[in-house]
Amino acid sequence: MTLKVGKDSDALVRALGAVVEGLTFYDLANAAVAEMRVKVAFEELGRRKKEQLAKLEAVAGPNAAHAAVMPGIYPLDAVAKVECYVCGFVADTKAMPNQCPSCGAARYAFEKEIALTKAWEIASETERHSAVLFRESAARAAGPARTLLEELAREDEGQATLADRQLAELRT
Ligand SMILES: [Zn+2]
């Protein structure tokens, strides 16, 4: 019984790592871009990750996220920093300045240009990857943990399909 609980909690912690990483990525991506449709897409994707986090914490306990390790599914490096296009000053996206402390350029000098197609490409690839991780975790769990992990896998598979549909529409 102890072993089973341990396995379930390992599977949940692994899934938590993926969800925390997704949430971190979408929050940073939302803060780094200016184009409204791209912002809205990232915001919506981030909101879904926040819901998944709440569901996982309800089963794994509120402290489980501390043990979570981010699996490297999401391109965090692409959004963690912003760079002033006038002078090259680099700032953390989380602390994007309203004015460049080096050259005085306005905030927009730091905003990243991520095309809407690129945003949906990222969503399609990462959500599919994350669904695979949830499926693998579900296979190692039992009971409510397994049920939840399977539900999250289906959600992300659905989200990846939705992203593909958005991409197809943008390309026609
Ligand atoms: Zn600057």
Side-chain angles (χ1 to χ4, degrees):
M1 191 63 203
T2 316
L3 183 69
K4 203 167 151 189
V5 169
K7 270 175 141 182
D8 282 357
S9 91
D10 285 353
L12 288 168
V13 165
R14 190 156 176 256
L16 272 166
V19 170
V20 168
E21 184 179 281
L23 182 55
T24 305
F25 172 78
Y26 289 130
D27 277 356
L28 287 171
N30 174 41
V33 300
E35 217 264 284
M36 198 42 74
R37 288 179 308 163
V38 182
K39 246 182 150 48
V40 167
F42 284 136
E43 196 173 1
E44 172 64 17
L45 288 157
R47 195 185 54 73
R48 287 188 54 259
K49 288 291 147 192
K50 206 169 280 176
E51 285 173 10
Q52 290 186 334
L53 181 62
K55 287 180 189 171
L56 278 167
E57 282 182 339
V59 175
N63 293 318
H66 297 303
V69 177
M70 296 197 208
I73 289 176
Y74 296 84
L76 281 173
D77 285 352
V79 290
K81 305 266 185 198
V82 286
E83 188 179 336
C84 172
Y85 77 72
V86 180
C87 75
F89 182 87
V90 174
D92 283 336
T93 302
K94 260 184 254 173
M96 197 194 289
N98 280 320
Q99 197 178 20
C100 178
S102 173
C103 76
R107 183 184 172 91
Y108 69 80
F110 286 98
E111 286 163 350
K112 279 187 194 293
E113 282 190 35
I114 298 179
L116 192 55
T117 48
K118 183 71 193 164
W120 287 119
E121 270 171 26
I122 293 170
S124 167
E125 193 179 315
T126 56
E127 296 308 298
R128 201 155 269 125
H129 200 144
S130 145
V132 169
L133 186 146
F134 291 149
R135 288 258 177 241
E136 287 170 0
S137 302
R140 290 191 200 120
R146 184 181 192 129
T147 307
L148 173 59
L149 290 166
E150 281 170 350
E151 180 195 324
L152 297 188
R154 276 194 303 277
E155 263 181 37
D156 280 6
E157 282 156 5
Q159 191 58 50
T161 305
L162 198 86
D164 290 343
R165 216 172 290 150
Q166 296 279 353
L167 272 173
E169 271 176 37
L170 286 166
R171 281 170 181 158
T172 50

